[in-house]
Amino acid sequence: MASLRFVWIVCLVYICAVNSAKSRKKSVVLSDVCSSVYTQTEYNTRDEYYRRVKDPHNHITTRLMRYFTFGGILQAISEETGIPRDKLVEKGASQFQDQSSGLGQTIHAAHIIRVGAINSRLKNKNPSLNRGLENYIGHTQNVLRIVNVWHGVGGAIDRYQSDNLNTLSTIDFDGLSTQSMDVIEQLKEDFFKIVDQYVQTIPNEQSNNSDLETDREIVHLINDCMLFENGTLGYGMVKDGSFVTRYARA
């Protein structure tokens, strides 16, 4: 009976995951402003470029860096529309996705930013900013499945990003302050703890421990100033119009 109950739970989780993926709105496949540039000498086609598989440490560091870029984007959108920063997006499952990996079950298309629904008021107030935000949130990178599974580091970072939206909204990316830097440092340290815990607990047979330790060391090279600069980048993109130009594509 216990084994049957376990099978039922596994099936239920799988069905929920599949339904969630199917319910996501298709966003436009775009290279991020911080991504490497497509060249025919390195990639035969643009589709091959979009489906390239990222190194684990690159993907993990990107999820931290661009989370702060996202924070700056939300601050600027809030100022432009009057919608409070902490009300622009909800926590929860991803509502947008640009593509599947197209490379089989061992490779996942993993979101960089994992948050829930966008406030419906934004679409009414500024459709271009709303569309840009959909595409920014829907952006994914192809990574090894082990990096993206819910019970691994991917799931922990998903929860970190959703759970810290209110904290992120307290940072002022339009002016350096001690209070903002204190918040940035705390968010950074909380992220480091997630990575450290993952490196310590992942089964040895699933990965090379020396590679994992190298990944951890690379993540720890990120400092508070780098995160603040990423936030100001996002803030500036909205203010100068380049966010809409790059991301608000149908």
Side-chain angles (χ1 to χ4, degrees), residues 68-79 85 165-185 187 224-225 227-236 239:
F68 283 83
T69 306
F70 180 62
I73 289 170
L74 293 183
Q75 179 181 349
I77 290 177
S78 175
E79 293 176 1
R85 288 169 69 180
L165 282 171
N166 287 342
T167 304
L168 184 67
S169 71
T170 65
I171 302 171
D172 182 8
F173 292 108
D174 189 33
L176 189 61
S177 71
T178 301
Q179 181 179 357
S180 289
M181 294 307 292
D182 287 344
V183 175
I184 290 172
E185 182 177 11
L187 286 173
D224 300 348
C225 290
L227 296 175
F228 181 78
E229 288 172 1
N230 271 263
T232 59
L233 170 66
Y235 181 86
K239 290 295 186 176

Side-chain angles (χ1 to χ4, degrees), residues 46-58:
R46 189 167 288 275
D47 183 66
E48 182 181 332
Y49 164 76
Y50 285 134
R51 297 192 185 280
R52 68 197 187 282
V53 179
K54 302 289 289 186
D55 290 334
H57 68 262
N58 284 337

Side-chain angles (χ1 to χ4, degrees), residues 27-31 77 122 126-137 237-238 241-250:
S27 56
V28 178
V29 180
L30 298 170
S31 60
I77 290 177
L122 180 59
N126 194 315
S128 294
L129 284 175
N130 184 79
R131 185 58 176 161
L133 196 57
E134 288 180 357
N135 288 333
Y136 191 85
I137 292 172
M237 284 196 302
V238 174
S242 60
F243 177 76
V244 166
T245 300
R246 186 174 191 91
Y247 292 102
R249 305 183 193 180

Side-chain angles (χ1 to χ4, degrees), residues 64 67 156-164 187 190-191 194:
L64 177 59
Y67 187 59
I157 295 174
D158 287 348
R159 293 187 291 273
Y160 164 91
Q161 290 186 336
S162 269
D163 292 345
N164 283 295
L187 286 173
D190 289 345
F191 189 92
I194 292 172

Side-chain angles (χ1 to χ4, degrees), residues 42-245:
E42 188 173 1
Y43 305 98
N44 292 324
T45 65
R46 189 167 288 275
D47 183 66
E48 182 181 332
Y49 164 76
Y50 285 134
R51 297 192 185 280
R52 68 197 187 282
V53 179
K54 302 289 289 186
D55 290 334
H57 68 262
N58 284 337
H59 176 70
I60 293 169
T61 55
T62 296
R63 293 202 66 179
L64 177 59
M65 301 284 277
R66 293 189 196 170
Y67 187 59
F68 283 83
T69 306
F70 180 62
I73 289 170
L74 293 183
Q75 179 181 349
I77 290 177
S78 175
E79 293 176 1
E80 294 294 311
T81 63
I83 302 173
R85 288 169 69 180
D86 59 352
K87 304 298 182 185
L88 273 170
V89 293
E90 299 176 0
K91 62 185 296 185
S94 301
Q95 303 296 305
F96 309 96
Q97 184 165 341
D98 55 2
Q99 63 180 349
S100 60
S101 75
L103 298 174
Q105 295 183 353
T106 59
I107 305 296
H108 280 192
H111 285 86
I112 303 298
I113 302 297
R114 196 270 199 177
V115 293
I118 298 173
N119 191 320
S120 59
R121 292 169 57 196
L122 180 59
K123 189 172 184 179
N124 295 327
K125 281 180 169 286
N126 194 315
S128 294
L129 284 175
N130 184 79
R131 185 58 176 161
L133 196 57
E134 288 180 357
N135 288 333
Y136 191 85
I137 292 172
H139 182 65
T140 60
Q141 290 181 340
N142 280 352
V143 297
L144 294 173
R145 177 183 177 276
I146 195 171
V147 179
N148 193 45
V149 290
W150 176 253
H151 294 293
V153 70
I157 295 174
D158 287 348
R159 293 187 291 273
Y160 164 91
Q161 290 186 336
S162 269
D163 292 345
N164 283 295
L165 282 171
N166 287 342
T167 304
L168 184 67
S169 71
T170 65
I171 302 171
D172 182 8
F173 292 108
D174 189 33
L176 189 61
S177 71
T178 301
Q179 181 179 357
S180 289
M181 294 307 292
D182 287 344
V183 175
I184 290 172
E185 182 177 11
Q186 185 58 58
L187 286 173
K188 180 197 69 178
E189 292 301 323
D190 289 345
F191 189 92
F192 286 174
K193 289 177 184 177
I194 292 172
V195 176
D196 292 346
Q197 182 179 12
Y198 177 74
V199 171
Q200 293 166 7
T201 59
I202 187 171
N204 292 340
E205 66 273 12
Q206 292 187 19
S207 187
N208 185 305
N209 279 342
S210 62
D211 289 343
L212 286 173
E213 184 60 30
T214 299
D215 293 344
R216 189 192 73 82
E217 291 174 357
I218 291 173
V219 172
H220 275 263
L221 291 175
I222 297 173
N223 60 47
D224 300 348
C225 290
M226 293 166 65
L227 296 175
F228 181 78
E229 288 172 1
N230 271 263
T232 59
L233 170 66
Y235 181 86
M237 284 196 302
V238 174
K239 290 295 186 176
D240 66 19
S242 60
F243 177 76
V244 166
T245 300

